[in-house]
Amino acid sequence: MGRIIAIANQKGGVGKTTTAINLAASMATLEQKVLLIDADPQANASSGLGVDVAQVDCTFYNCIIDGADIREAIYTTDIDGLDIIPSHIDLVGAEIEMLQLKNREKVIKNLLEPIKGEYDYILIDCSPSLGLITVNSLTAADSVIIPVQCEYFALEGISKLLNTIRIIKQSLNPQLEVEGFLLTMYDSRLRLANQIYDEVKRHFQELVFKTVIARNVRLSEAPSHGLPNILYDADSTGTKNHISLAKEIIDKHKAK
């Protein structure tokens, strides 16, 4: 049975989509069958994997609101073993449309049920908000990765996200756990980055991934070419970091 991992932080610009694209690509490279779901209306994970959203007939929005068959929204990518369900700007209004649905917090969970067994990992790239679609994603997920940028306001808002996770655990998804806190855009030369690393480590201890994602120019260039970093520059630090993260997660679940 596939493991569903949401990648969430309501703070924007923390490297959430970069993590989603490159972790998914790295897992697939390590011979896992992976599905990436783009649950962000900005559709950056879709374009970052070379999907032209304007040319796509069926998106995540159509599955949630129109009841389209989820299999019709699954598209292959340039990486063997990695599929994607693209997003659409219409997802912005989906939360209001979902208010009238029965069991509205479990729409995504019910959508994923029939295909969960076909993948080793299903990753959900959440939008930078704590709205109904993010709540849906966390209700459907087995665990959540929380990217944390190594900057001054990094820990701001994490308590709000953890509170949302706690509420979802209590009322909608008792199995939900924190997969780990992932430090992103890390620059070892900066004293501040090291202070934040120490602070996150002190707060969350073994919940912090051993892998840290370093600040890397190639990593920020890759999406504009519609490529995950592993296809854009296989030898870059960003690629190595994400392969290391993928191994860390896969090894952890193999050991269970």
Side-chain angles (χ1 to χ4, degrees), residues 39-41 60-61 64 90-95 98 105 108 124-127 129-139:
D40 185 345
F60 198 41
Y61 171 84
I64 292 173
D90 287 352
L91 212 53
V92 168
E95 300 198 339
M98 287 168 80
E105 295 88 0
I108 292 176
I124 308 175
D125 182 27
C126 299
S127 65
S129 77
L130 291 177
L132 191 50
I133 288 180
T134 299
V135 167
N136 253 270
S137 301
L138 293 172
T139 302

Side-chain angles (χ1 to χ4, degrees), residues 174-191:
Q175 276 75 49
L176 182 64
E177 55 187 55
V178 173
E179 186 74 38
F181 289 85
L182 176 68
L183 286 143
T184 62
M185 305 181 207
Y186 177 73
D187 186 340
S188 58
R189 296 166 303 177
L190 299 178
R191 199 169 67 188

Side-chain angles (χ1 to χ4, degrees), residues 122-192:
I122 296 176
L123 304 182
I124 308 175
D125 182 27
C126 299
S127 65
S129 77
L130 291 177
L132 191 50
I133 288 180
T134 299
V135 167
N136 253 270
S137 301
L138 293 172
T139 302
D142 298 300
S143 60
V144 53
I145 291 173
I146 302 169
V148 181
Q149 189 180 353
C150 290
E151 55 140 55
Y152 184 67
F153 293 115
L155 296 176
E156 223 181 50
I158 284 185
S159 57
K160 199 177 278 186
L161 176 60
L162 290 175
N163 194 43
T164 301
I165 290 168
R166 192 173 49 78
I167 292 165
I168 288 169
K169 268 185 80 120
Q170 283 171 354
S171 54
L172 293 165
N173 183 4
Q175 276 75 49
L176 182 64
E177 55 187 55
V178 173
E179 186 74 38
F181 289 85
L182 176 68
L183 286 143
T184 62
M185 305 181 207
Y186 177 73
D187 186 340
S188 58
R189 296 166 303 177
L190 299 178
R191 199 169 67 188
L192 177 64

Side-chain angles (χ1 to χ4, degrees), residues 21 38 42-53 84 223 225-227:
I21 292 170
D38 190 349
Q42 294 173 79
N44 290 336
S46 306
S47 59
L49 280 175
V51 176
D52 182 353
V53 181
I84 183 167
H225 297 270
L227 293 170

Side-chain angles (χ1 to χ4, degrees), residues 52-64:
D52 182 353
V53 181
Q55 303 298 316
V56 165
D57 294 327
C58 188
T59 68
F60 198 41
Y61 171 84
N62 301 117
C63 298
I64 292 173

